[in-house]
Amino acid sequence: MSLRVAFDIDGVLADFRTAFQDAANEAGIGGRAEVVAASPVDPLSSREIKEIWAHVKRSNNWWTRLRAYEPHQLVRLYELTRRHKWEVVFMTRRPSTDGDPVQFQTQWWIEQHGFYYPAVVTVPGSRGELANALRLDVIVDDQLLNCVDVVGGSTAKALLLLRDGHDRATEDHAISRGIGVVKTLEEAIDVISHMHESLGERRGRLQRLSDWFGGSKSDGAALPPPPDRGRAKLR
Ligand SMILES: [Mg+2]
């Protein structure tokens, strides 16, 4: 049985914060929005936030514009997924924008960064229920609440990605609830690789016994890499 892994997208793979800042600038609310990054207190009024979101929703395929935090890690994740036969799901609650559906924009973006045939679920609501329904082993998310929801509502492990790294209170809170804390996507993938290896060790003896009694069987050849179909065109 292979590991079943899920990744949240914004804050984990994609730099939503900078893109939202850019959208605020384009909507003429940039000066105020800059304070958001510097201060934990949100200085924007709900009306201003609504205006920025309205601008985002009017922008064609806005979700394809985001920068990847660690683009090489998506390539690495794809290689590890193929090698270890993991099942990977990308989860998001992104709202729709003009252009293609959120799911397609997100799949397109992930493929552009080197992870082919990405499974993207655009499900609002509880991450715990989703982790349970998808029988996930581990999820990576940048929101403590989502991680708490997952460890409370399923048997999956959760890894909280805190990029800023100085949020000691959140880190302590997460650790006290059995949630792992990492600072980069690279570190999250390292942890998942270790989980994979320790799973192999634990199952090693049983695996050898089943090999012994099951006769010889080939591993089965892997499918070829994705065809070079060039860059998919968005409308
Ligand atoms: Mg997120």
Side-chain angles (χ1 to χ4, degrees):
M1 201 181 79
S2 52
L3 268 186
R4 300 173 70 86
V5 190
F7 290 85
D8 174 50
I9 297 170
D10 294 312
V12 173
L13 311 179
D15 182 1
F16 168 79
R17 179 180 264 191
T18 302
F20 198 72
Q21 171 83 59
D22 292 344
N25 292 338
E26 289 164 12
I29 326 175
R32 297 288 309 281
E34 268 165 34
V35 191
V36 176
S39 163
V41 181
D42 185 353
L44 292 172
S45 68
S46 59
R47 190 180 57 80
E48 285 171 320
I49 291 171
K50 253 186 181 166
E51 274 178 43
I52 302 170
W53 273 115
H55 177 80
V56 165
K57 288 178 179 183
R58 284 193 304 271
S59 306
N60 197 51
N61 291 325
W62 189 80
W63 294 109
T64 62
R65 300 184 191 178
L66 275 61
R67 183 182 69 88
Y69 277 116
E70 299 165 70
H72 298 307
Q73 292 305 315
L74 271 163
V75 176
R76 178 181 170 224
L77 177 62
Y78 180 75
E79 288 167 358
L80 287 171
T81 298
R82 293 300 306 271
R83 190 187 313 155
H84 298 316
K85 302 185 177 182
W86 294 342
E87 300 218 2
V88 174
V89 174
F90 299 94
M91 304 182 299
T92 185
R93 296 184 186 127
R94 292 172 162 180
S96 60
T97 71
D98 273 3
D100 289 282
V102 167
Q103 186 188 43
F104 186 76
Q105 290 187 45
T106 307
Q107 286 172 316
W108 186 88
W109 185 92
I110 294 171
E111 275 213 359
Q112 294 293 299
H113 290 93
F115 191 107
Y116 297 94
Y117 311 118
V120 173
V121 287
T122 56
V123 181
S126 162
R127 285 282 162 92
E129 279 176 23
L130 196 57
N132 209 22
L134 297 176
R135 305 288 188 272
L136 296 176
D137 294 305
V138 57
I139 71 124
V140 183
D141 203 298
D142 66 321
Q143 300 293 320
L144 177 62
L145 272 179
N146 287 341
C147 292
V148 169
D149 194 21
V150 165
V151 295
S154 76
T155 55
K157 306 266 181 247
L159 288 175
L160 175 65
L161 201 166
L162 287 179
R163 287 194 181 275
D164 293 339
H166 54 250
D167 192 348
R168 192 72 215 185
T170 304
E171 191 173 339
D172 290 346
H173 191 166
I175 291 167
S176 73
R177 285 173 173 262
I179 294 162
V181 179
V182 290
K183 292 186 169 41
T184 59
L185 178 59
E186 180 178 16
E187 207 184 321
I189 296 172
D190 287 346
V191 172
I192 294 166
S193 295
H194 288 144
M195 285 175 75
H196 172 87
E197 283 156 20
S198 65
L199 214 63
E201 278 164 25
R202 266 190 283 137
R203 288 174 181 167
R205 191 177 142 71
L206 278 176
Q207 186 65 53
R208 283 195 298 277
L209 281 172
S210 69
D211 285 348
W212 184 264
F213 288 108
S216 67
K217 64 176 175 65
S218 85
D219 228 4
L223 287 165
D228 182 14
R229 57 193 177 211
R231 298 302 194 202
K233 292 280 186 295
L234 284 166
R235 285 200 299 269

PDB file of all heavy atoms in Angstrom, residues 71-85:
ATOM      1  N   PRO A  71       9.802  26.179  -6.553  1.00  0.00           N
ATOM      2  CA  PRO A  71       9.408  25.450  -7.772  1.00  0.00           C
ATOM      3  C   PRO A  71      10.127  24.114  -7.942  1.00  0.00           C
ATOM      4  O   PRO A  71       9.522  23.153  -8.419  1.00  0.00           O
ATOM      5  CB  PRO A  71       9.752  26.424  -8.905  1.00  0.00           C
ATOM      6  CG  PRO A  71      10.566  27.507  -8.299  1.00  0.00           C
ATOM      7  CD  PRO A  71      10.283  27.530  -6.837  1.00  0.00           C
ATOM      8  N   HIS A  72      11.392  24.040  -7.514  1.00  0.00           N
ATOM      9  CA  HIS A  72      12.126  22.777  -7.704  1.00  0.00           C
ATOM     10  C   HIS A  72      11.528  21.646  -6.869  1.00  0.00           C
ATOM     11  O   HIS A  72      11.677  20.473  -7.204  1.00  0.00           O
ATOM     12  CB  HIS A  72      13.607  22.958  -7.353  1.00  0.00           C
ATOM     13  CG  HIS A  72      14.278  23.975  -8.236  1.00  0.00           C
ATOM     14  ND1 HIS A  72      14.228  23.894  -9.610  1.00  0.00           N
ATOM     15  CD2 HIS A  72      14.976  25.097  -7.946  1.00  0.00           C
ATOM     16  CE1 HIS A  72      14.872  24.922 -10.130  1.00  0.00           C
ATOM     17  NE2 HIS A  72      15.332  25.680  -9.144  1.00  0.00           N
ATOM     18  N   GLN A  73      10.871  22.019  -5.794  1.00  0.00           N
ATOM     19  CA  GLN A  73      10.291  20.990  -4.924  1.00  0.00           C
ATOM     20  C   GLN A  73       9.090  20.302  -5.565  1.00  0.00           C
ATOM     21  O   GLN A  73       8.776  19.164  -5.238  1.00  0.00           O
ATOM     22  CB  GLN A  73       9.911  21.584  -3.564  1.00  0.00           C
ATOM     23  CG  GLN A  73      11.099  22.010  -2.739  1.00  0.00           C
ATOM     24  CD  GLN A  73      12.107  20.889  -2.548  1.00  0.00           C
ATOM     25  OE1 GLN A  73      11.739  19.760  -2.247  1.00  0.00           O
ATOM     26  NE2 GLN A  73      13.381  21.185  -2.743  1.00  0.00           N
ATOM     27  N   LEU A  74       8.410  20.996  -6.478  1.00  0.00           N
ATOM     28  CA  LEU A  74       7.294  20.344  -7.184  1.00  0.00           C
ATOM     29  C   LEU A  74       7.823  19.284  -8.142  1.00  0.00           C
ATOM     30  O   LEU A  74       7.224  18.223  -8.299  1.00  0.00           O
ATOM     31  CB  LEU A  74       6.450  21.389  -7.919  1.00  0.00           C
ATOM     32  CG  LEU A  74       5.325  21.963  -7.065  1.00  0.00           C
ATOM     33  CD1 LEU A  74       4.793  23.257  -7.648  1.00  0.00           C
ATOM     34  CD2 LEU A  74       4.189  20.948  -6.948  1.00  0.00           C
ATOM     35  N   VAL A  75       8.958  19.583  -8.757  1.00  0.00           N
ATOM     36  CA  VAL A  75       9.609  18.596  -9.633  1.00  0.00           C
ATOM     37  C   VAL A  75      10.053  17.397  -8.785  1.00  0.00           C
ATOM     38  O   VAL A  75       9.821  16.240  -9.138  1.00  0.00           O
ATOM     39  CB  VAL A  75      10.832  19.235 -10.342  1.00  0.00           C
ATOM     40  CG1 VAL A  75      11.580  18.200 -11.167  1.00  0.00           C
ATOM     41  CG2 VAL A  75      10.392  20.417 -11.195  1.00  0.00           C
ATOM     42  N   ARG A  76      10.668  17.709  -7.646  1.00  0.00           N
ATOM     43  CA  ARG A  76      11.141  16.638  -6.756  1.00  0.00           C
ATOM     44  C   ARG A  76       9.967  15.787  -6.256  1.00  0.00           C
ATOM     45  O   ARG A  76      10.046  14.559  -6.223  1.00  0.00           O
ATOM     46  CB  ARG A  76      11.873  17.282  -5.569  1.00  0.00           C
ATOM     47  CG  ARG A  76      12.372  16.282  -4.559  1.00  0.00           C
ATOM     48  CD  ARG A  76      13.057  16.988  -3.395  1.00  0.00           C
ATOM     49  NE  ARG A  76      13.339  16.081  -2.325  1.00  0.00           N
ATOM     50  CZ  ARG A  76      13.116  16.356  -1.044  1.00  0.00           C
ATOM     51  NH1 ARG A  76      12.628  17.532  -0.685  1.00  0.00           N
ATOM     52  NH2 ARG A  76      13.394  15.468  -0.115  1.00  0.00           N
ATOM     53  N   LEU A  77       8.876  16.463  -5.895  1.00  0.00           N
ATOM     54  CA  LEU A  77       7.703  15.735  -5.406  1.00  0.00           C
ATOM     55  C   LEU A  77       7.176  14.795  -6.482  1.00  0.00           C
ATOM     56  O   LEU A  77       6.803  13.653  -6.198  1.00  0.00           O
ATOM     57  CB  LEU A  77       6.614  16.736  -4.978  1.00  0.00           C
ATOM     58  CG  LEU A  77       5.306  16.118  -4.503  1.00  0.00           C
ATOM     59  CD1 LEU A  77       5.515  15.255  -3.251  1.00  0.00           C
ATOM     60  CD2 LEU A  77       4.265  17.210  -4.210  1.00  0.00           C
ATOM     61  N   TYR A  78       7.159  15.266  -7.726  1.00  0.00           N
ATOM     62  CA  TYR A  78       6.681  14.418  -8.830  1.00  0.00           C
ATOM     63  C   TYR A  78       7.577  13.182  -8.973  1.00  0.00           C
ATOM     64  O   TYR A  78       7.087  12.057  -9.089  1.00  0.00           O
ATOM     65  CB  TYR A  78       6.646  15.210 -10.136  1.00  0.00           C
ATOM     66  CG  TYR A  78       6.156  14.368 -11.285  1.00  0.00           C
ATOM     67  CD1 TYR A  78       4.802  14.051 -11.397  1.00  0.00           C
ATOM     68  CD2 TYR A  78       7.035  13.858 -12.235  1.00  0.00           C
ATOM     69  CE1 TYR A  78       4.340  13.244 -12.426  1.00  0.00           C
ATOM     70  CE2 TYR A  78       6.581  13.059 -13.270  1.00  0.00           C
ATOM     71  CZ  TYR A  78       5.232  12.761 -13.365  1.00  0.00           C
ATOM     72  OH  TYR A  78       4.773  11.953 -14.381  1.00  0.00           O
ATOM     73  N   GLU A  79       8.889  13.410  -8.905  1.00  0.00           N
ATOM     74  CA  GLU A  79       9.833  12.288  -9.059  1.00  0.00           C
ATOM     75  C   GLU A  79       9.661  11.269  -7.924  1.00  0.00           C
ATOM     76  O   GLU A  79       9.633  10.059  -8.159  1.00  0.00           O
ATOM     77  CB  GLU A  79      11.270  12.807  -9.104  1.00  0.00           C
ATOM     78  CG  GLU A  79      11.568  13.526 -10.410  1.00  0.00           C
ATOM     79  CD  GLU A  79      12.876  14.320 -10.381  1.00  0.00           C
ATOM     80  OE1 GLU A  79      13.555  14.349  -9.325  1.00  0.00           O
ATOM     81  OE2 GLU A  79      13.195  14.920 -11.407  1.00  0.00           O
ATOM     82  N   LEU A  80       9.518  11.774  -6.698  1.00  0.00           N
ATOM     83  CA  LEU A  80       9.341  10.868  -5.546  1.00  0.00           C
ATOM     84  C   LEU A  80       8.004  10.128  -5.639  1.00  0.00           C
ATOM     85  O   LEU A  80       7.910   8.943  -5.300  1.00  0.00           O
ATOM     86  CB  LEU A  80       9.416  11.660  -4.239  1.00  0.00           C
ATOM     87  CG  LEU A  80      10.807  12.151  -3.846  1.00  0.00           C
ATOM     88  CD1 LEU A  80      10.721  13.118  -2.662  1.00  0.00           C
ATOM     89  CD2 LEU A  80      11.710  10.968  -3.478  1.00  0.00           C
ATOM     90  N   THR A  81       6.978  10.838  -6.102  1.00  0.00           N
ATOM     91  CA  THR A  81       5.645  10.238  -6.242  1.00  0.00           C
ATOM     92  C   THR A  81       5.689   9.059  -7.209  1.00  0.00           C
ATOM     93  O   THR A  81       5.134   7.995  -6.951  1.00  0.00           O
ATOM     94  CB  THR A  81       4.643  11.305  -6.729  1.00  0.00           C
ATOM     95  OG1 THR A  81       4.577  12.335  -5.745  1.00  0.00           O
ATOM     96  CG2 THR A  81       3.258  10.727  -6.939  1.00  0.00           C
ATOM     97  N   ARG A  82       6.393   9.278  -8.340  1.00  0.00           N
ATOM     98  CA  ARG A  82       6.510   8.192  -9.325  1.00  0.00           C
ATOM     99  C   ARG A  82       7.349   7.042  -8.773  1.00  0.00           C
ATOM    100  O   ARG A  82       7.009   5.875  -8.928  1.00  0.00           O
ATOM    101  CB  ARG A  82       7.155   8.716 -10.622  1.00  0.00           C
ATOM    102  CG  ARG A  82       6.306   9.720 -11.403  1.00  0.00           C
ATOM    103  CD  ARG A  82       4.976   9.171 -11.858  1.00  0.00           C
ATOM    104  NE  ARG A  82       5.057   7.935 -12.616  1.00  0.00           N
ATOM    105  CZ  ARG A  82       5.197   7.847 -13.940  1.00  0.00           C
ATOM    106  NH1 ARG A  82       5.267   8.945 -14.666  1.00  0.00           N
ATOM    107  NH2 ARG A  82       5.249   6.685 -14.530  1.00  0.00           N
ATOM    108  N   ARG A  83       8.459   7.405  -8.118  1.00  0.00           N
ATOM    109  CA  ARG A  83       9.383   6.383  -7.644  1.00  0.00           C
ATOM    110  C   ARG A  83       8.759   5.519  -6.543  1.00  0.00           C
ATOM    111  O   ARG A  83       8.844   4.308  -6.547  1.00  0.00           O
ATOM    112  CB  ARG A  83      10.670   7.043  -7.120  1.00  0.00           C
ATOM    113  CG  ARG A  83      11.765   6.012  -6.833  1.00  0.00           C
ATOM    114  CD  ARG A  83      12.964   6.646  -6.153  1.00  0.00           C
ATOM    115  NE  ARG A  83      13.398   7.884  -6.788  1.00  0.00           N
ATOM    116  CZ  ARG A  83      14.074   8.853  -6.172  1.00  0.00           C
ATOM    117  NH1 ARG A  83      14.402   8.713  -4.900  1.00  0.00           N
ATOM    118  NH2 ARG A  83      14.434   9.950  -6.803  1.00  0.00           N
ATOM    119  N   HIS A  84       8.096   6.180  -5.586  1.00  0.00           N
ATOM    120  CA  HIS A  84       7.566   5.453  -4.425  1.00  0.00           C
ATOM    121  C   HIS A  84       6.099   5.075  -4.574  1.00  0.00           C
ATOM    122  O   HIS A  84       5.503   4.521  -3.660  1.00  0.00           O
ATOM    123  CB  HIS A  84       7.752   6.294  -3.160  1.00  0.00           C
ATOM    124  CG  HIS A  84       9.182   6.582  -2.818  1.00  0.00           C
ATOM    125  ND1 HIS A  84      10.164   5.627  -2.872  1.00  0.00           N
ATOM    126  CD2 HIS A  84       9.795   7.730  -2.417  1.00  0.00           C
ATOM    127  CE1 HIS A  84      11.328   6.171  -2.509  1.00  0.00           C
ATOM    128  NE2 HIS A  84      11.120   7.448  -2.251  1.00  0.00           N
ATOM    129  N   LYS A  85       5.495   5.458  -5.704  1.00  0.00           N
ATOM    130  CA  LYS A  85       4.085   5.136  -5.988  1.00  0.00           C
ATOM    131  C   LYS A  85       3.142   5.740  -4.943  1.00  0.00           C
ATOM    132  O   LYS A  85       2.214   5.088  -4.475  1.00  0.00           O
ATOM    133  CB  LYS A  85       3.898   3.621  -6.103  1.00  0.00           C
ATOM    134  CG  LYS A  85       4.786   3.027  -7.191  1.00  0.00           C
ATOM    135  CD  LYS A  85       4.537   1.566  -7.405  1.00  0.00           C
ATOM    136  CE  LYS A  85       5.411   1.072  -8.555  1.00  0.00           C
ATOM    137  NZ  LYS A  85       5.214  -0.327  -8.871  1.00  0.00           N
TER     138      LYS A  85
END
